[in-house]
Amino acid sequence: MSPTSTEPSAQVAPQTVLIIDDEPTARVALAARLKRLGYRVLQADDGQAGLDMLRCERPDLTILDWMMPEMDGPSFCEVVRQDPALQSSQILMMTSNDQPEQIAEGLARGADDFLSKAASKYEITARVQAGIRAAGLIKRLEDVTAEIRRKQETLERELQSAARYVESLLP
């Protein structure tokens, strides 16, 4: 898909994006843009409400503001990365101050990507699509890993059964 495309990749259900921003105007504007692109959009106005929504809804991508009261973006990322149930969540952090030091700090604290608040609609679309794509790959990897574990458990049970059978044949 080209960066100028306005359609998320085709799936049965629309992908879900959670926007966490304490500035209502910025949050609503981004939500409107993403809804026009076909995404299901959830909104939270602070880090703790966003964390609760992330746990409940498990969106494909979370976009959050760096500067918020109570729990800022980097602190949110740290909490998510420490939670085994959430650690594979894709997080795109927005900031109006996109200095290299700040970007490095955000990535070190758990963000997957950055988005300047001054980004063009094309960049927003491309970064959201990249985040959704990464989330899909991680989900498939988690599904394959779970399937391998199930098959391994089945094989172990069958081997134990075979071992018991062989033992029953021994004098």
Side-chain angles (χ1 to χ4, degrees):
M1 205 175 280
S2 72
T4 58
S5 174
T6 59
E7 296 293 321
S9 46
Q11 283 191 353
V12 176
Q15 294 102 342
T16 302
V17 178
L18 169 60
I19 302 171
I20 308 169
D21 194 333
D22 61 319
E23 295 178 29
T25 305
R27 187 178 65 244
V28 169
L30 182 57
R33 176 176 307 282
L34 295 175
K35 285 178 183 177
R36 282 193 303 274
L37 293 173
Y39 296 103
R40 175 177 170 248
V41 178
L42 307 170
Q43 299 179 50
D45 59 6
D46 66 59
Q48 186 57 54
L51 192 56
D52 294 341
M53 200 170 284
L54 178 64
R55 286 186 173 119
C56 180
E57 295 286 336
R58 299 304 306 265
D60 299 289
L61 176 66
T62 299
I63 302 174
L64 76 147
D65 190 17
W66 180 292
M67 294 177 49
M68 295 183 289
E70 309 287 325
M71 181 187 294
D72 64 7
S75 298
F76 177 94
C77 291
E78 288 176 340
V79 170
V80 169
R81 296 304 177 222
Q82 292 170 5
D83 185 333
L86 301 177
Q87 67 186 12
S88 65
S89 300
Q90 287 296 293
I91 301 173
L92 177 59
M93 194 166 336
M94 290 186 307
T95 181
S96 54
N97 181 10
D98 53 1
Q99 297 300 312
E101 300 82 20
Q102 188 178 33
I103 292 171
E105 178 189 350
L107 292 170
R109 292 178 69 185
D112 294 301
D113 197 3
F114 268 83
L115 181 64
S116 170
K117 284 201 170 188
S120 72
K121 65 181 182 179
Y122 302 111
E123 183 179 359
I124 292 168
T125 300
R127 290 194 185 272
V128 167
Q129 287 174 340
I132 294 288
R133 203 169 39 250
L137 292 171
I138 289 169
K139 174 71 173 122
R140 281 193 282 176
L141 183 59
E142 289 172 338
D143 290 347
V144 166
T145 302
E147 180 64 23
I148 289 170
R149 282 191 187 119
R150 283 191 294 276
K151 288 181 178 184
Q152 183 178 7
E153 289 168 0
T154 301
L155 280 172
E156 286 177 14
R157 282 192 305 274
E158 290 174 357
L159 282 172
Q160 289 171 356
S161 176
R164 283 191 301 274
Y165 174 72
V166 169
E167 284 176 357
S168 73
L169 297 176
L170 295 175

